[in-house]
Amino acid sequence: MATLSKSLTTMPADRQPVAGAVAALAAVAAELSALIRHAESTAQLGAVRGSANADGDDQKKLDVLADEMIASALADCVGVAAYLSEERDDAVTLHDGGDVIVASDPLDGSSNIDTNVSIGTIFSILPAAGGHLQAGRNQLASGIFVYGPQTTLLVTFGDGVHAFQLAEDGQFYDMGWQVQIPPKTSEFAINASNSRHWMAPVSRYIADCLAGDAGPRQRNFNMRWVGSLVADGWRIFRRGGIFLYPADARKGYEAGRLRLVYEASPMAMLVSQAGGRASDGQQDILDIVPTSLHQRVPLVFGSANEVDEFINYGS
Ligand code: AHG
Ligand code: MN
Ligand code: MN
């Protein structure tokens, strides 16, 4: 079976800066997978360190460890000009003359580290020429690693989405899965504990889903919420669904919870390459030009027909 490293090493010369960065990230992911599975370390890895990141989140040990592992792996990639991270206030300059910038959420789903629930790593690869803040449309590649019962990778280079699974030999093997998000769904993902803070269109949309076949949607819906973007995302790539983290009335949530540069944009590239839709409720995520590295954005993505249906409720 084809492996990730084989497909990366055979990429043309002009794409080797991207290939090299993905290979480095995959090596870190394989190490993180082993570390997370290792009995002695899980409890400690989920412990807070007493520090906060730029977005004000308590940093868990594994957040910082994953970030440091990625930074040092990318430091060996001469094609990488800079590294942008959820866990660092500012960009890390790596190689002058490097062709690409790597942005990452080193450990996504930190609240799930010590609950034995799938967590992951998200990455976005951008042309260095575009600078640190550029629209997701410019991405050269993006991907998510999921550390769950299987350790897997969804990656796109702009030519569709490829799925790989980590084997005992440390190689990521092609899963032979033509990744396409079904356009229709009856499954939504939202943190319903925030419902009293939602704007009216979100409340109306969810109420109509909950009304099921007795309501205007005329079919019953199911709900899932993992609390790890990568895990909710993987499910949606597998069987469809709609994920919503909208803006809400809580202080600091005026633009929702998820960060544009290293969560929403990379996810949006994967979603659009798999025939899905990713929006902030008004425009395609990929068209939004960031004004700051850690800016948040309302995020709705998944089955195209259902995202369009949600957008029709207004925002
Ligand atoms: P991170 O752990 O990188 O901060 O990301 C957590 C994000 C995302 O993974 C998840 O969908 C969302 O936060 C969950 O938010 P709530 O805890 O508010 O449900
Ligand atoms: Mn995250
Ligand atoms: Mn994170």
Side-chain angles (χ1 to χ4, degrees):
M1 277 201 292
T3 62
L4 175 68
S5 48
K6 183 96 178 86
S7 57
L8 294 174
T9 48
T10 53
M11 276 190 173
D14 64 334
R15 300 182 71 178
Q16 277 308 312
V18 172
V22 174
L25 290 163
V28 171
E31 253 187 278
L32 280 171
S33 173
L35 198 62
I36 290 162
R37 278 202 315 274
H38 199 255
E40 280 95 73
S41 57
T42 307
Q44 290 77 18
L45 293 174
V48 289
R49 296 170 78 250
S51 56
N53 64 17
D55 201 33
D57 301 338
D58 282 339
Q59 287 179 311
K60 306 283 177 66
K61 283 196 176 146
L62 191 55
D63 285 320
V64 175
L65 181 58
D67 171 63
E68 287 165 352
M69 288 165 70
I70 290 172
S72 89
L74 294 178
D76 293 338
C77 297
V78 293
V80 180
Y83 168 51
L84 314 178
S85 169
E86 174 187 346
E87 304 310 331
R88 294 172 191 249
D89 294 357
D90 305 305
V92 177
T93 301
L94 291 174
H95 299 280
D96 285 342
D99 295 312
V100 301
I101 288 172
V102 176
S104 180
D105 174 358
L107 205 287
D108 174 66
S110 309
S111 63
N112 285 324
I113 291 171
D114 53 2
T115 64
N116 197 20
V117 166
S118 298
I119 51 182
T121 296
I122 307 171
F123 65 89
S124 165
I125 301 181
L126 295 149
H132 296 169
L133 300 174
Q134 49 186 306
R137 193 76 63 193
N138 293 358
Q139 289 174 105
L140 302 169
S142 80
I144 58 170
F145 291 97
V146 186
Y147 313 118
Q150 307 150 8
T151 290
T152 56
L153 165 65
L154 283 181
V155 60
T156 181
F157 300 92
D159 56 350
V161 176
H162 310 277
F164 295 88
Q165 183 173 345
L166 182 66
E168 292 307 312
D169 64 0
Q171 290 289 335
F172 281 91
Y173 286 86
D174 193 321
M175 295 173 72
W177 167 23
Q178 295 305 314
V179 184
Q180 281 295 313
I181 299 178
K184 204 169 169 316
T185 185
S186 299
E187 189 163 73
F188 65 89
I190 195 166
N191 184 336
S193 70
N194 299 322
S195 59
R196 65 188 182 286
H197 306 298
W198 293 338
M199 307 305 162
V202 178
S203 302
R204 279 201 312 276
Y205 169 75
I206 297 296
D208 287 351
C209 290
L210 293 174
D213 56 13
R217 302 302 307 274
Q218 297 178 314
R219 67 178 191 274
N220 295 328
F221 280 72
N222 188 40
M223 192 192 108
R224 287 281 183 275
W225 185 254
V226 180
S228 300
L229 175 63
V230 293
D232 284 310
W234 181 272
R235 184 190 62 255
I236 289 171
F237 282 100
R238 262 290 181 218
R239 68 186 191 208
I242 181 170
F243 173 103
L244 307 101
Y245 211 121
D248 69 43
R250 289 174 291 168
K251 187 172 171 337
Y253 284 77
E254 301 79 3
R257 157 121 187 71
L258 296 166
R259 283 56 59 107
L260 175 60
V261 171
Y262 41 78
E263 289 176 310
S265 267
M267 185 61 84
M269 182 180 186
L270 286 167
V271 167
S272 68
Q273 285 287 320
R277 191 97 71 237
S279 169
D280 69 352
Q282 287 163 336
Q283 61 181 317
D284 193 310
I285 292 287
L286 293 176
D287 294 329
I288 303 175
V289 180
T291 51
S292 67
L293 172 53
H294 300 286
Q295 90 178 59
R296 297 187 179 194
V297 67
L299 178 60
V300 182
F301 73 87
S303 296
N305 296 2
E306 196 58 27
V307 173
D308 290 344
E309 180 74 29
F310 168 75
I311 290 172
N312 289 336
Y313 276 73
S315 52

